[in-house]
Amino acid sequence: MATTARVFKALADPTRRQILQELKTGEMAAGEIVELFDISGPAVSRHLAILKAADLVTERRDGNRIVYKVETETLANCLSEFIGSVCPAQISVRKNVAKRKGKK
């Protein structure tokens, strides 16, 4: 599945969007994330796996904990490309910016 499709699939679920919101302030261990939600640990794990498959979060081991971090660049690039492809005004803005940069 293409990266854009995986990102939009991941963003379709409100729990996954909330996980991203929680991670915006910094890294969190899986257990800390689970504590924030009224769903089971395995359910949170599945949501994290979908976010990871979409490259929206990365994980690293810290002893016996798994720590997650949001990858804002993936999200920003994906959304920017999508908006640019469907919004002609955005395409015009980008062309004008590119022209100005080329003149300098």
Side-chain angles (χ1 to χ4, degrees):
M1 185 185 308
T3 300
T4 301
R6 284 192 305 264
V7 167
F8 280 101
K9 177 185 175 191
L11 294 175
D13 186 274
T15 300
R16 291 191 286 271
R17 291 192 305 268
Q18 186 60 41
I19 290 170
L20 292 174
Q21 285 285 332
E22 299 297 338
L23 289 171
K24 75 181 179 183
T25 59
E27 294 182 331
M28 292 180 74
E32 295 171 317
I33 297 168
V34 169
E35 290 175 3
L36 299 172
F37 295 92
D38 291 330
I39 58 176
S40 69
V44 171
S45 262
R46 285 191 293 278
H47 286 298
L48 288 166
I50 291 168
L51 290 169
K52 185 178 172 193
D55 296 326
L56 292 173
V57 298
T58 55
E59 66 178 29
R60 67 177 176 80
R61 289 243 176 232
D62 182 22
N64 63 347
R65 301 179 333 148
I66 300 174
V67 179
Y68 290 89
K69 175 182 151 191
V70 70
E71 292 298 327
T72 55
E73 191 171 317
T74 301
L75 180 59
N77 288 338
C78 180
L79 293 177
S80 176
E81 287 174 20
F82 176 74
I83 290 170
S85 71
V86 298
C87 183
Q90 182 65 24
I91 294 169
S92 296
V93 168
R94 284 184 178 187
K95 286 180 182 177
N96 290 335
V97 168
K99 284 180 187 177
R100 284 187 291 228
K101 286 183 178 178
K103 289 181 181 179
K104 292 182 179 181

